[in-house]
Amino acid sequence: MDALTIFITVLVLLIGAVAGFFLGAIVARSRMAAALAQAQTAERLHSERVQALEADAGMTHELAELMGPLAAQVNRLHSDVTGFERERTDQFARLDARLGHMSQVDAQLQASTSNLLTALNASGTRGSWGELQLKRVVEAAGMLEHVDFDSQVTVQGRNGERLRPDMVVHLPGDRQIVIDAKAPLDPGQDTSAGNGSGPAGRLRSHIRTLASKAYWNAFDQTPDFVVCFVPNEGALSAALKEDPRLFEEAFAVNVIPASPATLVALLRTVALGWRQYELARSARELLATAQELHVRIGTMAGHLVQLGKSMNRSVEDYNRFVGSVESRLLVTARRLTDMGAGATEIPVAEPLDAYARSLTAPEFQEVQRQDT
């Protein structure tokens, strides 16, 4: 191998080494640039992620602030719903207990009603019940026993029979209203009976019995009617519904059927009559008192006129006495003084010029004319 070849070979190797160095440098630089770009990209991504996380954290904080009151309200709502549910459960428990108690009370009420209906089926019990209801109605009207009314009064009828009305209500002027309360209608009775045993038939029969007793003939100054008290509004309505002519038939025989409401109205009318009677009596007493006072005032006026005349006569008698003393007695007394019989001065009595005041009222003038 010659020197040229060696030189060329060395040159080629040197050129290859330089080229390899530059190529390696270029590749290394490229790799470093790529790594730097990758690092920058990673840093940018990390920064963006950090910013995104910070933004998410801010939004989460704002959302937490917004959700705080809502969460509190939700908690209160949950607490209220829980309380309502507990209260509803307690109420249902109490309601169930009350329903059970009401069921027991209803059973007891049905038993009591059955016993009451059984007891009222007896005529004596119905009569006592009617009398009790009558007394309650009369007391509700503001009347007092033995003052405004009497119960179970025994009288003698026109044929000598013994009558005993349930109540006698006193009217002004020593009058009375007779009331019977025998409760002729059975509770729970069939109102559709048309054979005379229904409410209308039983009430009609009792009305005829009352009419035959003629209570108004057994009492002095009593209206010609008797009140038939029916203590059950529904019973009387059922009887009148069954036979509307029942009232006319009762009025024709001087019997007035009356329910509690009707009787209260009648008794209130009686009470009004008593008040009017008391007012009239008070007015009469006031008139009598005024007349007596007028007479006494006239007598007093006469005495006053006489007293004035007596006072005037006393003044005139005094003045005459003073004149007589001065003209008769004092003249002699002065003479005795002049003669030395007395040393004391005798006082001089002055006549009076005041008289009693004249009475100018017409009433006094009338008295004076009567005296003269």
Side-chain angles (χ1 to χ4, degrees), residues 5-318:
T5 303
I6 295 171
F7 176 77
I8 293 171
T9 301
V10 172
L11 182 60
V12 171
L13 290 173
L14 181 60
I15 292 171
V18 172
F21 173 77
F22 283 105
L23 181 62
I26 293 172
V27 171
R29 186 176 180 179
S30 299
R31 288 180 178 179
M32 289 180 62
L36 181 60
Q38 185 177 2
Q40 291 177 350
T41 302
E43 184 180 0
R44 181 176 55 79
L45 293 176
H46 177 70
S47 177
E48 292 178 354
R49 184 172 298 178
V50 169
Q51 293 178 358
L53 290 176
E54 290 177 353
D56 291 341
M59 293 179 62
T60 302
H61 180 70
E62 294 177 357
L63 184 62
E65 290 180 352
L66 294 175
M67 292 296 293
L70 181 60
Q73 293 181 1
V74 170
N75 291 332
R76 287 197 299 269
L77 180 61
H78 181 268
S79 178
D80 293 341
V81 170
T82 303
F84 290 155
E85 185 67 22
R86 187 182 302 108
E87 184 178 357
R88 186 174 63 87
T89 303
D90 295 340
Q91 289 179 352
F92 279 139
R94 290 194 298 268
L95 180 61
D96 185 65
R98 290 185 179 181
L99 289 176
H101 179 68
M102 289 180 63
S103 178
Q104 295 177 0
V105 172
D106 184 63
Q108 295 175 0
L109 181 61
Q110 291 181 358
S112 300
T113 303
S114 177
N115 295 334
L116 178 61
L117 290 176
T118 302
L120 290 178
N121 284 331
S123 59
T125 306
R126 290 200 309 271
S128 300
W129 178 66
E131 294 170 7
L132 178 61
Q133 292 297 105
L134 174 60
K135 188 174 182 180
R136 288 179 176 176
V137 169
V138 173
E139 290 177 350
M143 293 189 168
L144 300 176
E145 190 171 6
H146 306 304
V147 178
D148 302 313
F149 68 92
D150 291 315
S151 301
Q152 304 298 329
V153 179
T154 302
V155 294
Q156 187 174 1
R158 59 183 177 182
N159 297 326
E161 71 275 16
R162 182 171 173 269
L163 300 177
R164 191 179 182 184
D166 296 314
M167 184 174 292
V168 176
V169 178
H170 303 298
L171 298 177
D174 295 331
R175 295 179 175 83
Q176 300 92 17
I177 292 180
V178 181
I179 302 177
D180 179 88
K182 290 299 189 295
L185 304 179
D186 290 338
Q189 182 180 342
D190 184 10
T191 60
S192 62
N195 53 3
S197 61
R202 293 176 63 85
L203 184 57
R204 180 182 289 105
S205 176
H206 187 67
I207 287 173
R208 292 173 180 173
T209 301
L210 290 180
S212 64
K213 293 181 179 180
Y215 283 114
W216 49 87
N217 292 326
F219 293 89
D220 296 332
Q221 297 183 350
T222 302
D224 293 338
F225 64 83
V226 59
V227 177
C228 176
F229 176 66
V230 181
N232 192 326
E233 298 275 355
L236 181 59
S237 299
L240 295 177
K241 183 178 180 180
E242 181 181 345
D243 189 355
R245 298 173 301 174
L246 192 58
F247 254 130
E248 296 179 2
E249 296 178 5
F251 292 155
V253 293
N254 298 329
V255 178
I256 300 178
S259 64
T262 306
L263 184 60
V264 167
L266 176 62
L267 295 177
R268 290 293 177 87
T269 304
V270 172
L272 178 61
W274 271 113
R275 286 196 293 271
Q276 297 296 330
Y277 176 77
E278 293 296 332
L279 288 175
R281 187 177 65 178
S282 300
R284 290 193 298 269
E285 293 179 355
L286 180 61
L287 178 61
T289 304
Q291 292 174 347
E292 182 180 0
L293 178 61
H294 187 272
V295 172
R296 293 184 178 182
I297 291 176
T299 304
M300 183 199 67
H303 293 329
L304 186 60
V305 170
Q306 293 299 328
L307 178 61
K309 291 180 178 180
S310 298
M311 293 176 64
N312 290 331
R313 283 196 300 268
S314 298
V315 171
E316 292 173 357
D317 292 341
Y318 174 79

